[in-house]
Amino acid sequence: MKLTIKDTKGNNQGELEVKFTLVEDGKGTQAVHDAVVAYQASQRMGTACTKNVGEVAGTNKKPWRQKGTGRARAGSFQSPLWRGGGVVFGPKPRDFGKKISRKTRQLALRKALSERLRAGDVLLVDEFKIASPKTKDFVSLLSALELKGTALLVAQTGDKNLTLASRNIPNVSLATSDSLNTYDVLRPDKLVFTRGAFEQIEARLTKE
């Protein structure tokens, strides 16, 4: 498979042959599911916290004597039955992260990228360079590439001007070739790679 390379003005600059092997048929579907679930699980904060009987504020004094009042027996103000008392089996801070193997992550990324390539959702440009961190310059770049809907721009390294110019555009996000994951590949309508970034991704996917 060959991809057309464009410059920032939308002009063709040649073609690039895709070097990694595309995933065929239904292989890798489960790996994609596992990778997305693991990614979304790792985004959870896990900071929910409740206090048990030993942690809530209160005195150790018995509310009233055991017998003779006509009321139910009570031994603590911190009882879970009482308002302001402790919580039984409540949530505590925890890590929701899930572990998947390196080969599973690699297969998932290759499968996701293969499907996007077949669908024609991947664009290649020489490089993302804008002279100033102005939003209008970034909008001109998007217009030249005829990008509509959501888009993910993947570069080799972060660029300060590009980051500042794009942060006011709600449908566009940035990533680097090192940080790209399966969820990033599946989420946007279009994927735009620089030539260098795509070659780095290929190198990641061809490693054993």
Side-chain angles (χ1 to χ4, degrees):
M1 177 181 286
K2 293 184 178 181
L3 297 175
T4 301
I5 304 174
K6 296 185 177 182
D7 59 19
T8 53
K9 295 182 179 179
N11 301 319
N12 290 346
Q13 297 294 318
E15 292 183 334
L16 179 69
E17 182 74 29
V18 177
K19 296 178 181 178
F20 70 90
T21 305
L22 301 185
V23 180
E24 302 292 341
D25 303 324
K27 182 182 178 182
T29 302
Q30 185 62 44
V32 170
H33 176 269
D34 293 343
V36 171
V37 169
Y39 174 83
Q40 291 180 323
S42 67
Q43 302 306 300
R44 297 183 66 178
M45 295 295 290
T47 55
C49 184
T50 56
K51 293 183 178 181
N52 59 31
V53 172
E55 294 170 330
V56 294
T59 176
N60 290 327
K61 182 182 178 181
K62 188 174 174 66
W64 48 77
R65 65 180 189 270
Q66 184 81 347
K67 292 177 175 292
T69 65
R71 289 180 289 186
R73 292 171 292 183
S76 171
F77 286 100
Q78 295 94 338
S79 170
L81 302 178
W82 287 34
R83 181 176 181 273
V87 177
V88 180
F89 304 130
K92 290 291 184 180
R94 55 173 288 196
D95 181 13
F96 285 94
K98 296 178 181 294
K99 292 184 178 180
I100 57 174
S101 68
R102 180 183 59 83
K103 287 188 175 181
T104 300
R105 286 198 307 270
Q106 187 183 53
L107 175 59
L109 181 59
R110 192 153 59 92
K111 171 67 173 179
L113 196 53
S114 297
E115 294 300 324
R116 300 312 298 269
L117 285 167
R118 290 195 188 93
D121 296 332
V122 178
L123 304 177
L124 287 187
V125 295
D126 271 341
E127 59 180 4
F128 297 129
K129 288 292 182 182
I130 54 177
S132 63
K134 293 183 178 179
T135 302
K136 68 177 183 179
D137 293 340
F138 186 73
V139 171
S140 299
L141 172 62
L142 298 181
S143 299
L145 296 175
E146 299 179 351
L147 292 177
K148 297 179 181 179
T150 58
L152 176 67
L153 277 58
V154 186
Q156 282 182 279
T157 57
D159 182 86
K160 185 176 180 180
N161 283 351
L162 200 62
T163 302
L164 294 175
S166 64
R167 62 184 178 178
N168 286 334
I169 310 296
N171 295 329
V172 176
S173 54
L174 305 178
T176 62
S177 53
D178 292 334
S179 65
L180 188 69
N181 57 62
T182 304
Y183 182 81
D184 290 336
V185 172
L186 297 175
R187 185 172 52 83
D189 296 327
K190 293 290 183 180
L191 297 167
V192 186
F193 291 86
T194 62
R195 180 170 184 164
F198 191 81
E199 289 174 345
Q200 283 188 343
I201 293 295
E202 286 185 318
R204 280 178 57 185
L205 297 180
T206 52
K207 285 182 180 179
E208 293 297 333

